[in-house]
Amino acid sequence: MAHFARVDDNYIVQEVLTVPDSQEHRGHEFLSMDLGLGGRWYQTSYNGRIRKNYAGIGYFFDRNRNAFIPPKPEGNFVLNEETCRWEEVK
């Protein structure tokens, strides 16, 4: 199964759904058109090979980095550009 995340107009993840392997190559069309769900869908993966991080609800999809970025934790954190994960500054 392939996983796809739906983002809103601000590119915030609203939901993540699975798509049959046979439809992975056209996941966006399968979800938005065939299933009638509409919206923008981007593939994500548990192992981080696709778009750096597995998308979760509330994550931001950064089109320039082609990555899902988790919400910034409170405190003094900076974004690691390589992993697109937040790291605490000490």
Side-chain angles (χ1 to χ4, degrees), residues 19-20 22-39 41:
V19 169
S22 62
Q23 298 299 321
E24 179 179 6
H25 67 286
R26 59 182 297 276
H28 169 76
E29 292 82 11
F30 177 76
L31 291 163
S32 64
M33 294 182 211
D34 295 4
L35 297 183
L37 299 176
W41 295 87

Side-chain angles (χ1 to χ4, degrees), residues 19-74:
V19 169
D21 289 337
S22 62
Q23 298 299 321
E24 179 179 6
H25 67 286
R26 59 182 297 276
H28 169 76
E29 292 82 11
F30 177 76
L31 291 163
S32 64
M33 294 182 211
D34 295 4
L35 297 183
L37 299 176
R40 286 186 210 101
W41 295 87
Y42 294 93
Q43 191 168 6
T44 186
S45 65
Y46 280 121
N47 61 18
R49 289 187 184 147
I50 300 172
R51 300 193 168 94
K52 304 279 186 179
N53 298 297
Y54 183 75
I57 293 174
Y59 278 45
F60 172 68
F61 178 63
D62 186 316
R63 294 180 297 160
N64 293 323
R65 292 180 176 103
N66 194 28
F68 288 105
I69 300 173
K72 185 177 181 181
E74 290 193 29

